[in-house]
């Protein structure tokens, strides 16, 4: 078996020598580097997470606005944080104080039909920034009136929505519907534990 | 030694060029600026009930219209609501934003039995985009790259009542289909705020759905165009 591999390697080198002449030792590393660059960078562009960093990386602090307890969603946001906290690189900690690097969780209402939740990445002055920018903090909102208007207004569905928005807050982007993930759009039950797909995307973004 | 030096230079060049391409990709995601008014448009991420097939969207939508937009974006009523807690007020944290967009109904394609919406009547609808002008500056906020309806253009609109009894565009950009231009609605917002593949996927879905809309309401659309 090894002999066959050696033979094939020698044959390939001979063909390459014929193709590029005596400069094979110079050209080979170039081709290898080109291959590595193309595969590495194309993978990073098509991944389901946003580029750029954020304060505290995968370990942001979360402040619950008084609207969260007022509407009765504390346990649902807790479950959303805990979903992602099962990954070793994520630890979204609850805090009772705010700063320019503390994420803020809210419950509100919206006039847009079908809108379940929304995030706003901010700079340190509180101005919205693009998803690829550096985020100082993020506001995470879920909409009580729209969730209540859905069938299956249950804890499991609300928690999926919370996990989805909190996923955005740690730079996760929307995933295609085919994936077993909380990041595709929609209203459905939360998976029983962090899915392989979501875990993989976190590892790609924030490391193991 | 010379060969080694040349190899190193080549490898370095390849990696640097790849890095600069990625940098360019990131730069292209910087917030879009509307040419006309030079106001920044910022798109934020959201979770919404998303439909990628016209038949399912039609089934779950109360009101489907062909309508012409009668007001310029900046002339519409822009509504911005803020969270009310002390900490939220300090940071001007926005709870909701939308525009109230007047339209002229040209054709009713689907309506509830008790609907009083008639052809050639005016209706005001909700769009998930607004001009915000507060202590954090003047900017246009939009949701999931939603692009405002343009004055003078005719659209097929999929609308659902919100919990306040107002009709709102349903399914973001894939609930409004421009009948005046062939260009894709997603093309303008492709450069902002998303991973590259997501924009392409949305663009493809919009094109497919628009083809289905044009086919499904072919007779009604032709009638409107003849009378224009």
């Amino acid at each position: 078996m090894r002999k066959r591999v050696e033979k094939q390697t020698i044959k390939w080198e001979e063909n390459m020598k014929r193709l590029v002449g005596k400069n094979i030792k110079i050209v080979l590393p170039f081709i290898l580097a080109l291959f590595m660059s193309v595969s590495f960078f194309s993978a990073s562009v098509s991944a389901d997470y946003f580029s750029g960093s954020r304060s505290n990386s995968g370990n942001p602090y979360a402040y619950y606005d008084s609207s969260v307890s007022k509407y009765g969603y504390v346990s649902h946001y807790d479950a959303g944080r805990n979903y992602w906290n099962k990954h070793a690189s994520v630890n979204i900690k609850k805090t009772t104080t705010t700063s320019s690097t503390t994420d803020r969780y809210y419950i509100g209402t919206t006039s847009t039909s079908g809108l379940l939740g929304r995030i706003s990445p901010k700079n340190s002055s509180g101005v919205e920034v693009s998803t690829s920018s550096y985020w100082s903090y993020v506001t995470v909102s879920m909409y009580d009136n729209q969730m209540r208007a859905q069938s299956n207004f249950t804890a499991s569905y609300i928690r999926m929505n919370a996990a989805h928005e909190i996923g955005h807050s740690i730079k996760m982007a929307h995933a295609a519907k085919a994936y077993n993930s909380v990041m595709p759009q929609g209203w459905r039950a939360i998976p029983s534990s962090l899915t392989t797909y979501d875990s993989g995307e976190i590892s790609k973004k924030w490391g193991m | 030694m010379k060969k080694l030096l040349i190899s190193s230079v080549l490898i370095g060049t390849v990696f640097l060029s790849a890095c600069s391409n990625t940098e360019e990709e990131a730069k292209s995601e910087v917030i879009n600026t509307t040419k006309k008014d030079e106001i920044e448009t910022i798109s934020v991420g959201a979770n919404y009930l998303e439909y990628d097939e016209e038949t399912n969207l039609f089934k779950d939508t109360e009101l489907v219209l062909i309508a012409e937009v009668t007001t310029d974006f900046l002339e519409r009523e822009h509504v911005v609501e803020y969270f009310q807690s002390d900490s939220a007020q300090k940071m001007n944290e926005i709870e909701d934003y939308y525009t109230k967009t007047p339209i002229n109904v040209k054709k009713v394609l689907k309506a509830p039995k008790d609907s009083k919406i008639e052809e050639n009547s005016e209706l005001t609808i909700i769009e998930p985009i607004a001009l915000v002008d507060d202590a954090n500056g003047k900017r246009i906020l939009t949701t999931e790259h939603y692009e405002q309806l343009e004055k003078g253009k005719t659209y097929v609109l999929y609308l659902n009542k919100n919990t306040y009894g107002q009709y709102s565009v349903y399914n973001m950009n894939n609930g409004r289909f421009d009948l005046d231009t062939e260009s894709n609605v997603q093309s303008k917002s492709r450069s902002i705020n998303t991973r590259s593949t997501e924009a392409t996927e949305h663009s493809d879905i919009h094109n497919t759905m628009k083809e289905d809309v044009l086919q499904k309401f072919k007779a009604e659309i032709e009638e409107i165009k003849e009378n224009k």
Side-chain angles (χ1 to χ4, degrees):
Chain A
M1 182 66 183
R2 182 184 280 180
K3 269 186 180 176
R4 198 187 299 162
V5 173
E6 279 172 2
K7 263 186 182 178
Q8 280 175 346
T9 310
I10 291 163
K11 203 176 175 186
W12 186 76
E13 275 190 7
E14 281 170 356
N15 286 337
M16 285 300 289
K17 269 183 184 171
R18 235 176 279 139
L19 195 70
V20 295
K22 289 179 181 178
N23 293 328
I24 183 135
K25 282 183 181 166
I26 297 171
V27 176
L28 261 179
F30 176 77
I31 293 168
L32 276 171
L34 183 71
F35 176 75
M36 283 166 66
S37 301
V38 167
S39 53
F40 173 76
F41 286 102
S42 64
S44 67
V45 165
S46 63
D48 289 340
Y49 53 82
F50 300 126
S51 58
S53 194
R54 61 150 296 152
S55 65
N56 300 312
S57 305
N59 307 300
Y61 288 89
Y63 171 82
Y64 290 16
D65 179 73
S66 56
S67 57
V68 178
S69 58
K70 184 183 141 195
Y71 281 98
Y73 286 85
V74 171
S75 65
H76 304 310
Y77 270 137
D78 286 345
R81 285 189 302 111
N82 290 337
Y83 177 81
W84 293 105
N85 284 349
K86 285 171 188 143
H87 193 286
S89 296
V90 177
N91 185 15
I92 307 168
K93 299 168 286 289
K94 196 172 170 182
T95 178
T96 53
T97 56
T98 56
S99 75
S100 62
T101 57
T102 309
D103 289 356
R104 292 140 195 266
Y105 293 8
Y106 295 94
I107 298 294
T109 58
T110 179
S111 288
T112 300
S113 291
L115 182 60
L116 305 166
R118 187 155 52 189
I119 63 138
S120 283
K122 306 280 183 87
N123 63 20
S124 56
S125 305
V127 180
E128 300 85 1
V129 292
S130 72
T131 49
S132 58
S133 301
Y134 176 82
W135 299 354
S136 190
Y137 74 98
V138 182
T139 61
V140 175
S141 304
M142 291 200 295
Y143 295 114
D144 176 68
N145 62 334
Q146 286 300 316
M147 289 189 286
R148 281 182 192 280
Q150 307 309 317
S151 56
N152 294 315
F153 178 66
T154 62
S156 182
Y157 279 60
I158 298 163
R159 287 168 187 189
M160 202 301 297
N161 193 27
H164 180 98
E165 296 308 337
I166 293 169
H168 280 315
S169 79
I170 48 172
K171 292 257 179 184
M172 294 293 102
H174 287 142
K177 281 180 180 169
Y179 293 119
N180 182 18
S181 161
V182 298
M183 293 316 292
Q185 307 266 25
W187 182 244
R188 59 191 178 280
I190 193 169
S192 55
S193 62
L194 182 68
T195 66
T196 306
Y197 181 81
D198 286 339
S199 177
E201 292 305 296
I202 288 288
S203 296
K204 284 185 219 165
K205 181 64 192 174
W206 301 115
M208 287 305 291
Chain B
M1 184 63 188
K2 196 179 172 184
K3 283 176 182 173
L4 187 69
L5 187 70
I6 295 167
S7 301
S8 305
V9 170
L10 282 169
I11 291 167
T13 309
V14 170
F15 265 96
L16 280 175
S17 64
C19 286
S20 68
N21 283 342
T22 308
E23 188 69 24
E24 224 163 75
E25 189 83 35
K27 277 179 192 164
S28 75
E29 287 191 4
V30 169
I31 298 160
N32 186 29
T33 301
T34 53
K35 282 179 190 169
K36 191 181 167 191
D37 307 292
E38 295 299 318
I39 303 170
E40 279 186 333
T41 298
I42 304 167
S43 177
V44 300
N47 187 24
Y48 64 96
L49 301 174
E50 188 186 39
Y51 295 79
D52 49 20
E53 287 180 8
E54 193 282 332
T55 45
N56 292 335
L57 177 64
F58 186 81
K59 184 166 69 69
D60 287 356
T61 308
E62 291 171 37
L63 185 65
V64 183
L65 305 172
I66 299 176
E68 186 180 337
V69 179
T70 55
T71 313
D72 187 70
F73 175 70
L74 293 176
E75 291 167 2
R76 295 169 200 164
E77 186 181 345
H78 296 258
V79 181
V80 184
E81 290 164 358
Y82 294 86
F83 286 109
Q84 292 302 307
S85 66
D86 290 344
S87 64
Q89 282 182 344
K90 269 184 205 163
M91 301 300 285
N92 289 308
E93 299 292 9
I94 293 172
E95 179 176 357
D96 196 20
Y97 55 84
Y98 55 92
T99 55
K100 290 182 174 179
T101 304
I103 57 169
N104 184 260
V105 179
K106 298 289 180 190
K107 198 90 187 166
V108 179
L109 304 171
K110 182 185 178 184
K113 280 179 185 171
D114 58 349
S115 171
K116 290 172 184 168
I117 295 165
E118 293 174 350
E119 287 171 18
N120 295 315
S121 65
E122 294 289 326
L123 180 69
T124 298
I125 61 167
I126 302 293
E127 288 189 88
I129 182 170
L131 175 70
V132 181
D133 191 3
D134 60 17
N136 290 335
K138 194 175 191 178
R139 69 269 188 213
I140 294 169
L141 289 184
T142 190
T143 306
E144 287 294 330
H145 312 286
Y146 180 84
E147 290 183 7
Q148 73 267 18
L149 303 177
E150 291 180 43
K151 182 184 178 183
K153 284 192 172 180
T154 307
Y155 296 85
V156 173
L157 299 172
Y158 290 75
L159 306 163
N160 260 342
K161 258 188 189 161
N162 63 22
T163 54
Y164 307 110
Q166 304 154 306
Y167 278 109
S168 154
V169 174
Y170 200 55
N171 203 33
M172 300 294 166
N173 278 325
N174 290 337
R176 32 86 83 214
F177 299 93
D178 177 3
L179 300 180
D180 292 314
T181 50
E182 286 183 16
S183 65
N184 187 342
V185 71
Q186 298 286 351
S187 59
K188 285 190 208 166
S189 63
R190 190 176 291 185
S191 63
I192 54 171
N193 295 344
T194 192
R195 64 188 168 89
S196 54
T197 50
E198 188 179 0
T200 312
E201 286 157 18
H202 280 204
S203 178
D204 292 344
I205 290 168
H206 186 82
N207 283 340
T208 306
M209 290 181 76
K210 186 170 176 178
E211 280 172 23
D212 292 342
V213 168
L214 295 177
Q215 190 60 39
K216 187 171 191 169
F217 305 116
K218 194 177 176 183
E220 291 87 345
I221 292 167
E222 278 175 6
E223 189 189 325
I224 297 293
K225 283 186 175 174
E226 278 168 16
N227 296 332
K228 211 173 180 184

